[in-house]
Amino acid sequence: MTKPVILDCRNVWKLYGAQADTFLNTNPDPSSADLEAANLIGAVRAVNLQIRKGEIFVIMGLSGSGKSTIVRCLSRLVDSTAGEIRFEGKDLLSASEEELIQIRRKKMGMVFQQFALLPHLTVLENAAFPLEIQGVDKKTREARAHEVVELVGLKGRESYFPRELSGGQQQRVGIARSLAAEPEIWFLDEPFSALDPLIRREMQDEFLRLQNILHKTIVFITHDFDEAIRLADRIAVMKDGIIEQVATPEDLVLQPATEYVAEFTRHVSRAKVIRAASLMEPVKGDSFAGEVAHDAVIEVIADPVEASDLPHKVMEGDKPVGQISRKAVIDVLVGRR
C-alpha cells in the first residue's frame, strides 16, 4: 500500500538576482537562456516532489545542482521564489514566522555537514538543547536526552565535551540532538561527507539501524551514489536546479529517464541495486536450497544462491512469491543483465 504524502512540493522555483519575483510573474517557465539574459541564477527550477511518510528520500546531484537549496526551500530556511509547499496538508509558505518556529522546533529535525555542536555544553546538554529552547523542564529534557544519546550509541559519554569526541561521535551527538524533539520529518544535508570512509560507513550502518527502530520520514542529501543506493527508498537526481528523475535505486539504474541519469549511474554495480524480485521466476516444484527475501539485493544473496544447484525460494514475508536460480544471479554478476 502506498504511504501517505507528508511533504508535497509543486512547481517550486528559487531564483537569485534582482526582481526575480517579477520576472517569474511574466515568464512562468523560463529557459536557461531566458535566465541568463535576465542575469538570474536558477538554483531550483520547477521542482515537483512528493515525499511519503516513513520513507528515506534521497536528493542527489553534483556540486551546484541545487540539492542543498531545495532542502532549504522545503524547510523554509530560505523562501522559494514561486511554487507551493505543503507539509502535513498545510501551506508552509503562508505560515507566519511564529508558526514556522514552532514547526521547526517540534516537527522538523535537521542535521548538516557541519556538526554545529555548542562547545561549552556536554554531550547530554547538547542533546537536550532543543527541548530547553522549547521550555521543557530540566528533568524531562534530560531524561529524553539520555534516551537519544543511548539510541545513537554514546551511552557513557554523556559528560564529555565535543572537543573530547571523534568526528563520528560528534556527528552522533548532532543526530541525537535532532531526534530529541521527536520530529515528524528529518532533513540531513550531506551529514557524513566530512567523515573518513570507514567512519562514514559506520555512520551509514548506524543511520539504517536508527531508521529500522524509528521509521522517520527522512530527506537525505548526498552527492555519493553508493551512499544513495545504500540508504534510499527513492532517489531524486538533480542537475542545474532541475529534477531529472525520481525513482527507486533499481529503476534509476535499469530505466534511466534521461541521458544524464544514464551517465550518472553507468558505473554502478548492478548487483548493488537489482533485487531478487526482479529476477525471480514462478515457483516450480518443491526442491529448494533455501529462501531469500524478495527485496534483497543480489550482492547480499549472491554467495548462497551461486553455490547451489537448486534454486532459492523468494519470500515476501512468509509467502513464497517466486524462485531465483544460480544462472540469474551469475548473469548480473558478470554484466549480462
Side-chain angles (χ1 to χ4, degrees), residues 55-58 207-208 227-235 247-249 275:
E55 77 171 330
I56 302 177
F57 189 97
V58 171
F207 177 79
L208 289 170
E227 182 169 72
I229 62 176
R230 186 160 190 247
L231 301 179
D233 293 307
R234 291 189 298 148
I235 299 172
T248 65
R275 299 183 180 274

Side-chain angles (χ1 to χ4, degrees), residues 180-252:
E182 301 181 87
E184 294 297 322
I185 190 166
W186 200 14
F187 295 103
L188 298 100
D189 190 355
E190 303 212 45
F192 309 143
S193 61
L195 303 175
D196 293 335
L198 285 177
I199 299 175
R200 183 171 185 161
R201 181 79 178 187
E202 289 175 4
M203 289 304 300
Q204 291 170 4
D205 290 340
E206 183 69 13
F207 177 79
L208 289 170
R209 183 187 70 83
L210 288 173
Q211 178 63 352
N212 285 333
I213 296 170
L214 301 173
H215 306 292
K216 293 290 181 185
T217 303
I218 295 167
V219 180
F220 191 105
I221 309 301
T222 184
H223 65 272
D224 183 334
F225 200 81
D226 282 336
E227 182 169 72
I229 62 176
R230 186 160 190 247
L231 301 179
D233 293 307
R234 291 189 298 148
I235 299 172
V237 178
M238 289 192 77
K239 177 183 180 235
D240 298 333
I242 296 170
I243 299 289
E244 292 277 317
Q245 186 175 359
V246 178
T248 65
E250 186 175 28
D251 284 345
L252 276 182

